[in-house]
Amino acid sequence: MAPKLATILVCLVLAIPRNSIAGDTLSDAAMDKMHKHFSEAYNRGDLDAMAATFAENAVRVTPSGIFQGRDAIRRSFSDALKLGLHDYSVQRTISRPEGTLVFNAGTWQAKVGDRSFHGYYSSILTSEGGQPKIIEETVAVAAP
């Protein structure tokens, strides 16, 4: 159960940008609002709102597979929601602009029941309609 559970948990974790994207300066307050929006969407099981954090043509690479496009990413979150994941958080430790994109990397943690899981992520973000969107994200479960 633990390896499959950890793999599915990884599919939920999102990177939250806190930097300049495609020339638009995004304040910490705007990023906090984005994180709150995602958390609320997760807590009410709103897969569409969770997937909306990603660009239409985004790619997610996880231990359970490669998901191409927002629809596939949305479906990948469904299994994680069914597990009862809670108390998840993301800690961005690196964030830097790269041309019109932003690179972020950091750690994540979450629980299922009273069991904790954690790992690492990296993401590349762009701007769509003035909103930050993840175009690529890779997540991994930390080795025990």
Side-chain angles (χ1 to χ4, degrees):
M1 179 180 131
K4 183 175 181 177
L5 180 62
T7 298
I8 292 172
L9 290 177
V10 167
C11 292
L12 181 62
V13 180
L14 293 177
I16 302 299
R18 294 183 186 257
N19 213 330
S20 172
I21 298 177
D24 296 327
T25 300
L26 299 172
S27 68
D28 281 342
M31 293 299 97
D32 290 344
K33 182 177 178 181
M34 181 180 169
H35 185 255
K36 180 180 177 185
H37 172 75
F38 178 83
S39 296
E40 289 171 350
Y42 172 79
N43 289 330
R44 68 178 180 268
D46 187 341
L47 295 170
D48 293 330
M50 293 166 63
T53 306
F54 289 82
E56 186 63 41
N57 63 347
V59 174
R60 283 192 93 226
V61 180
T62 73
S64 62
I66 298 172
F67 305 94
Q68 298 179 7
R70 189 181 290 148
D71 290 338
I73 291 167
R74 179 194 179 283
R75 287 188 301 272
S76 76
F77 288 138
S78 179
D79 289 336
L81 285 173
K82 290 174 187 174
L83 292 173
L85 181 75
H86 63 93
D87 294 345
Y88 93 92
S89 64
V90 175
Q91 177 64 47
R92 180 184 45 85
T93 57
I94 299 169
S95 185
R96 66 174 187 255
E98 296 289 338
T100 61
L101 304 173
V102 172
F103 170 80
N104 286 332
T107 60
W108 63 268
Q109 60 183 6
K111 289 184 177 181
V112 172
D114 61 354
R115 187 162 184 196
S116 296
F117 295 90
H118 70 282
Y120 308 96
Y121 77 89
S122 66
S123 61
I124 300 171
L125 297 101
T126 191
S127 179
E128 283 185 4
Q131 297 297 313
K133 298 289 180 176
I134 299 168
I135 60 171
E136 191 283 333
E137 182 177 58
T138 300
V139 291
V141 177

